[in-house]
Amino acid sequence: MSEIIKGVRQMKGAQSIEFAAPPYILESACVCGSKEGEGPLKDTFDYIEEDSLFGCDTWEEAESALQEKTIDVLLEKSGYKKTDFRYIFAGDLMGQLIATTFGILKFEIPLFGLYGACSTMGEAISLASMTVAGGYANNVIAMASSHYASAEKTFRFPLEYSTQRPYSATWTVTGCGAVVIGNATNKSEKNMIKGKITGITTGKIVDYGCKDSQNMGACMAPAAADVIEQNLIDFGYEPGEYDKIITGDLGYVGQTILIDLLQRKGIEITDNHMDCGIEIFDSEKQDTHAGGSGCGCSATVLCGHILNNIKKGIWKKVLFVPTGALLSPTSFNEGQNVPGIAHAVMIEHPNK
Amino acid sequence: MSEIIKGVRQMKGAQSIEFAAPPYILESACVCGSKEGEGPLKDTFDYIEEDSLFGCDTWEEAESALQEKTIDVLLEKSGYKKTDFRYIFAGDLMGQLIATTFGILKFEIPLFGLYGACSTMGEAISLASMTVAGGYANNVIAMASSHYASAEKTFRFPLEYSTQRPYSATWTVTGCGAVVIGNATNKSEKNMIKGKITGITTGKIVDYGCKDSQNMGACMAPAAADVIEQNLIDFGYEPGEYDKIITGDLGYVGQTILIDLLQRKGIEITDNHMDCGIEIFDSEKQDTHAGGSGCGCSATVLCGHILNNIKKGIWKKVLFVPTGALLSPTSFNEGQNVPGIAHAVMIEHPNK
């Protein structure tokens, strides 16, 4: 009870936080399935599992095994023990977060369970950063996962039905990404730093009336536009402030809508926009239509490709904006809209 | 960026936080269904809705309407506008938090979506308190809801099946509770204070191998015992430190197990234990078997009965421990266990 963080009041603008004592991303781990392991980012993943069931009997258990493997890799890469983490902020797409429940069980880390659809990695990093910067923990884990088969079974049709997919459909990524967020209090931790989290902008639910669960890019783009605009307003930035503005899983359809929506507000991001869903697959060769999606899409691209480029200094400052489509099979079948939500995280090269 | 909170390092023991600048519960609102409105706590609810569909066409929409009504009541009671809240921390039991999505949509408040099964109100208040005490917001909302019909349909059987319920089964509460957590920076807010949040203990997932979705008290009791014991260890307290140790929805079966588990560790809480699930219904007259359950159970009992008694000074200090059973219909049907989780919140009379 003796330390003081100066200038602890960290609110910024209407929806943002600027951290007085920015927390760091100390390590990351990402584990993927075989399809992701054949894509353009294959060299950035820590582990590629060829068995889509991960040695289990069901798709749900497979997703739990994927999470467990990811934390195992994270512990191995970082050198931390499970008891070094005061909290884990984690979630997945399954009803009642069942993949997370059984995925993290053995690690016995106090849990804050989160649901933000495919924006969950943004939500997890936001709360994890607030926790570390607020003096509530030295090191925590933020994690999100998805699995192609468990997600299709949950949200659309079991794969065994061989349903035809429209071109607006995205392909749920089988993947899990996890990061250690910490305050780097000692020298060895300072040497680990991969990136610095300088701020966040937390999204609202945005509903433009879209009802198509096979066109989630269109459902999520308005929420992405809303939170990106708010981030720029809250910090007084032009889009060029960021080397990249990186959305989670809008895909080709959602990207077009996002750029269009922002242009109507006088914001031009064409030159520095990137979407994890577009990057993770070679859509033409891999038949993934509009691109990749799922919590695991932005989480794995962050934990591999994005953090690699930030650590190398190729990108000095990025806005990472995972995007989520808020539907359930029940709400969809009852004719409800599919609103969107997106959470923005500002990640900088540690020495910027 | 100019204020300083002294002694901001707030970690306490292995799993707890002691707030250097304790946030306050400034206002609360609770809305219930007709069965709850006929129970022993009927006079503590703000609004009792006789129509179990809340004027909607589906049970899921009814639960969203319940949430919307609760925030409307909260705004009315507190005098705040929706724009006075920087964040809302909220969740429900539905897959993909669909009741919350449509329940809070119209308020346009930045959302952290949470899933902690029936422990969600504890999780929401924990994160909301960390947010306010960390200088990230002046006022936020923490909220959780459940609905008897939407929960039975999700987790067990649709009501139309008229399935017989064993005596170990609990009755999911149709109810929603919401609190304003704030730092009470001005005089009118200081006059509003209903309680002070001095600390939290965040729970781990605890799995004793229970598989019975009709005996959730047994599934959750080990997690409750674990987090209560940890709270006492972290703060160096005897159980008598608290006027009441209040679990969420263990019911009669879970209460017996909890007391027994803690006695084996030398901790005696028989005299000061209370369970919201036991209090909310008259089990004999209302045929609710083991008691009430659901996120809405502990949330509504907190927002009415518990905060009333704290504000009046009848209880000076309570440990509020909402308890959650981590199952989904899918995991249950695949033969998985039902682990538990519980989150403890220390609430004191404002002048203690």
Side-chain angles (χ1 to χ4, degrees):
Chain A
M1 296 290 293
S2 59
E3 293 181 36
I4 293 173
I5 295 175
K6 287 192 183 170
V8 77
R9 177 136 310 249
Q10 307 172 314
M11 287 176 265
K12 182 88 177 177
Q15 278 172 243
S16 300
I17 290 170
E18 182 177 49
F19 292 113
Y24 300 99
I25 298 176
L26 297 181
E27 190 51 273
S28 66
C30 47
V31 174
C32 283
S34 57
K35 191 175 180 85
E36 293 71 24
E38 292 161 2
L41 301 182
K42 60 186 176 190
D43 297 331
T44 67
F45 303 129
D46 292 309
Y47 185 83
I48 297 161
E49 173 59 59
E50 295 298 326
D51 174 12
S52 55
L53 273 166
F54 286 70
C56 302
D57 294 326
T58 70
W59 298 122
E60 293 76 19
E61 288 173 33
E63 191 172 341
S64 294
L66 164 65
Q67 286 201 2
E68 195 174 302
K69 177 73 184 173
T70 306
I71 301 183
D72 281 336
V73 171
L74 189 68
L75 296 179
E76 194 187 321
K77 284 179 76 179
S78 67
Y80 286 116
K81 302 183 299 294
K82 64 182 188 178
T83 48
D84 292 326
F85 299 105
R86 206 167 165 86
Y87 305 108
I88 181 164
F89 298 81
D92 61 84
L93 298 176
M94 297 294 93
Q96 293 78 38
L97 300 190
I98 215 67
T100 301
T101 292
F102 295 102
I104 70 165
L105 182 57
K106 80 165 187 185
F107 300 102
E108 299 175 306
I109 303 169
L111 165 69
F112 288 109
L114 310 177
Y115 188 80
C118 304
S119 76
T120 300
M121 195 62 175
E123 182 182 358
I125 295 176
S126 295
L127 288 168
S129 301
M130 289 162 69
T131 298
V132 169
Y136 303 123
N138 289 326
N139 292 302
V140 304
I141 295 174
M143 181 174 76
S145 76
S146 55
H147 190 295
Y148 175 58
S150 65
E152 289 303 309
K153 177 181 155 186
T154 296
F155 291 102
R156 282 161 293 262
F157 301 99
L159 299 182
E160 292 81 353
Y161 289 16
S162 302
T163 315
Q164 201 154 5
R165 308 168 63 250
Y167 276 104
S168 61
T170 45
W171 188 284
T172 305
V173 164
T174 298
C176 179
V179 291
V180 176
I181 310 270
N183 50 16
T185 47
N186 61 49
K187 198 178 164 187
S188 73
E189 285 176 334
K190 284 188 173 62
N191 289 333
M192 289 167 69
I193 295 172
K194 288 189 146 186
K196 182 167 71 172
I197 296 167
T198 48
I200 60 170
T201 305
T202 302
K204 305 169 177 177
I205 301 173
V206 179
D207 184 7
Y208 272 32
C210 186
K211 286 179 187 288
D212 187 354
S213 76
Q214 300 273 17
N215 187 357
M216 306 229 286
C219 300
M220 299 185 289
D226 191 73
V227 84
I228 292 168
E229 182 191 19
Q230 194 64 48
N231 176 271
L232 298 174
I233 292 171
D234 284 353
F235 286 86
Y237 287 163
E238 295 295 323
E241 174 76 18
Y242 297 106
D243 296 316
K244 288 281 172 191
I245 293 174
I246 305 171
T247 47
D249 51 356
L250 296 183
Y252 293 102
V253 177
Q255 182 184 46
T256 308
I257 299 171
L258 171 68
I259 289 173
D260 187 46
L261 284 172
L262 286 174
Q263 277 173 345
R264 291 184 199 187
K265 295 172 179 192
I267 299 167
E268 181 56 72
I269 65 163
T270 308
D271 291 343
N272 54 349
H273 180 252
M274 179 185 122
D275 183 70
C276 299
I278 293 175
E279 300 296 316
I280 197 165
F281 294 123
D282 182 327
S283 184
E284 208 162 308
K285 284 189 192 153
Q286 296 189 279
D287 191 32
T288 48
H289 296 194
S293 62
C295 311
C297 179
S298 60
T300 54
V301 175
L302 171 74
C303 292
H305 183 54
I306 298 173
L307 286 174
N308 289 352
N309 278 359
I310 291 173
K311 182 154 192 180
K312 284 179 194 159
I314 296 171
W315 299 331
K316 295 271 190 276
K317 185 170 184 175
V318 308
L319 189 66
F320 176 60
V321 191
T323 41
L326 297 166
L327 81 158
S328 83
T330 308
S331 66
F332 177 77
N333 287 326
E334 288 175 356
Q336 287 272 26
N337 295 345
V338 182
I341 191 165
H343 297 297
V345 179
M346 297 154 73
I347 311 176
E348 296 186 13
H349 184 264
N351 303 325
K352 186 176 185 288
Chain B
M1 294 289 292
S2 58
E3 294 181 36
I4 292 172
I5 295 176
K6 285 192 184 172
V8 78
R9 179 138 307 250
Q10 308 173 311
M11 286 178 265
K12 182 89 178 175
Q15 280 173 240
S16 300
I17 290 170
E18 183 178 48
F19 292 113
Y24 300 99
I25 298 177
L26 298 181
E27 191 50 273
S28 66
C30 46
V31 174
C32 283
S34 56
K35 191 176 182 83
E36 295 70 25
E38 292 161 2
L41 301 182
K42 61 186 175 190
D43 296 331
T44 67
F45 302 129
D46 292 309
Y47 185 82
I48 297 162
E49 173 59 58
E50 295 299 327
D51 175 12
S52 55
L53 273 166
F54 286 72
C56 302
D57 294 326
T58 71
W59 299 122
E60 293 75 20
E61 288 173 34
E63 191 173 340
S64 295
L66 164 66
Q67 286 200 2
E68 194 175 301
K69 176 73 185 173
T70 306
I71 302 183
D72 281 336
V73 171
L74 189 70
L75 297 180
E76 195 186 321
K77 283 179 74 177
S78 67
Y80 285 117
K81 300 184 301 294
K82 65 181 189 179
T83 49
D84 292 326
F85 299 104
R86 205 167 166 86
Y87 305 107
I88 181 164
F89 298 81
D92 61 86
L93 298 176
M94 297 294 93
Q96 293 78 38
L97 300 189
I98 215 67
T100 301
T101 293
F102 294 103
I104 70 166
L105 182 57
K106 82 166 186 186
F107 300 103
E108 299 176 306
I109 303 170
L111 165 69
F112 289 108
L114 310 178
Y115 187 79
C118 304
S119 76
T120 300
M121 196 60 176
E123 183 182 358
I125 295 177
S126 296
L127 288 168
S129 300
M130 289 161 69
T131 299
V132 169
Y136 303 124
N138 290 326
N139 292 303
V140 304
I141 294 173
M143 180 174 76
S145 76
S146 55
H147 190 295
Y148 176 58
S150 66
E152 289 303 308
K153 175 180 157 188
T154 296
F155 291 103
R156 284 162 292 261
F157 301 99
L159 299 181
E160 292 80 355
Y161 288 16
S162 302
T163 314
Q164 202 155 4
R165 306 168 64 248
Y167 276 105
S168 61
T170 45
W171 188 285
T172 305
V173 165
T174 298
C176 180
V179 290
V180 176
I181 310 271
N183 50 16
T185 47
N186 61 49
K187 198 178 164 187
S188 73
E189 285 176 336
K190 282 189 174 64
N191 289 333
M192 288 167 69
I193 295 173
K194 289 190 146 187
K196 182 167 72 171
I197 297 167
T198 48
I200 61 170
T201 305
T202 302
K204 304 169 177 177
I205 301 174
V206 179
D207 183 8
Y208 272 31
C210 185
K211 287 179 186 287
D212 187 354
S213 77
Q214 300 274 16
N215 187 356
M216 306 229 285
C219 300
M220 299 185 290
D226 190 74
V227 84
I228 291 169
E229 182 191 18
Q230 194 63 50
N231 176 270
L232 298 174
I233 292 171
D234 285 353
F235 285 87
Y237 288 163
E238 296 295 324
E241 174 77 17
Y242 297 106
D243 296 316
K244 289 281 172 192
I245 294 175
I246 305 170
T247 48
D249 51 357
L250 297 182
Y252 292 101
V253 177
Q255 182 184 47
T256 309
I257 299 171
L258 171 69
I259 288 173
D260 187 46
L261 284 172
L262 286 175
Q263 277 173 346
R264 292 185 198 187
K265 296 174 179 190
I267 299 167
E268 181 56 72
I269 65 163
T270 308
D271 291 343
N272 52 351
H273 180 251
M274 177 185 123
D275 183 70
C276 299
I278 293 175
E279 300 297 316
I280 197 165
F281 294 123
D282 181 327
S283 185
E284 209 163 307
K285 284 190 193 155
Q286 296 189 279
D287 191 34
T288 49
H289 296 198
S293 63
C295 311
C297 178
S298 59
T300 52
V301 175
L302 171 73
C303 292
H305 182 54
I306 299 173
L307 285 174
N308 289 352
N309 279 0
I310 291 173
K311 182 154 192 180
K312 283 178 194 158
I314 297 171
W315 298 333
K316 295 270 191 275
K317 186 170 183 174
V318 308
L319 189 65
F320 176 60
V321 192
T323 41
L326 297 166
L327 81 158
S328 83
T330 308
S331 67
F332 177 77
N333 287 326
E334 287 175 357
Q336 288 271 26
N337 295 345
V338 182
I341 192 164
H343 297 297
V345 179
M346 298 153 73
I347 311 176
E348 297 186 15
H349 184 263
N351 303 327
K352 184 173 186 289

